[in-house]
Amino acid sequence: MHLVGYATTLAGLAINKRFARQLGALGLRMAEFSILVLVDTNPEVNQKSLGETLDISPPNLAVVLDRMAERGWLRRERSERDRRAHLIRLTPEGKALTRRALRLSLGSETEVLASLSAAERGLLIELLHRLVRGVRQGARETCGSTDISTNSNLNR
């Protein structure tokens, strides 16, 4: 049986379990890592679009962002264009932590993907991004959700 959802779930569980252990050494959780990377790669991201992208409810996201702000990793700022919106900004400490976590991520992925050739890795990433874009396009058409870039340049 070739169910894409099943195969991606199994792969994701194996990869995330390993990566979560490594993030723990930095005092990070998976959701916090995702927030750091998305805020780093989307300088004008607001709290609402961040929650929609990560599928985190507003109250739960507020708790996570409060915790991250208390740890000195990010801050909220009122948008100059829309005073109702809260932009999320990384602090210098948050930027440094993001860099360390991304390096860790690259090392972890290199180990996990060792059985694939460089061409296969590139194709896998390309196909996964295409799937995400297709699903998001369908979501925008049905419910008008906001989209932010989830493509992070991990080689900086």
Side-chain angles (χ1 to χ4, degrees), residues 34-48:
S34 297
I35 290 168
L36 289 172
V37 171
L38 289 173
V39 171
D40 187 49
T41 56
N42 296 277
E44 292 298 310
V45 69
N46 63 46
Q47 191 166 331
K48 181 179 184 223

Side-chain angles (χ1 to χ4, degrees), residues 78-129:
R78 287 244 184 241
S79 170
E80 292 299 321
R81 284 185 273 153
D82 180 356
R83 300 297 291 165
R84 297 168 296 171
H86 288 95
L87 300 178
I88 308 301
R89 305 276 195 222
L90 294 182
T91 63
E93 295 84 2
K95 288 181 184 195
L97 179 60
T98 303
R99 300 289 170 266
R100 286 194 310 274
L102 285 172
R103 280 193 300 275
L104 189 65
S105 172
L106 281 174
S108 179
E109 284 190 3
T110 299
E111 292 172 16
V112 168
L113 299 174
S115 63
L116 300 178
S117 70
E120 289 170 328
R121 282 182 226 144
L123 179 60
L124 176 63
I125 293 297
E126 178 185 332
L127 293 173
L128 289 171
H129 281 296

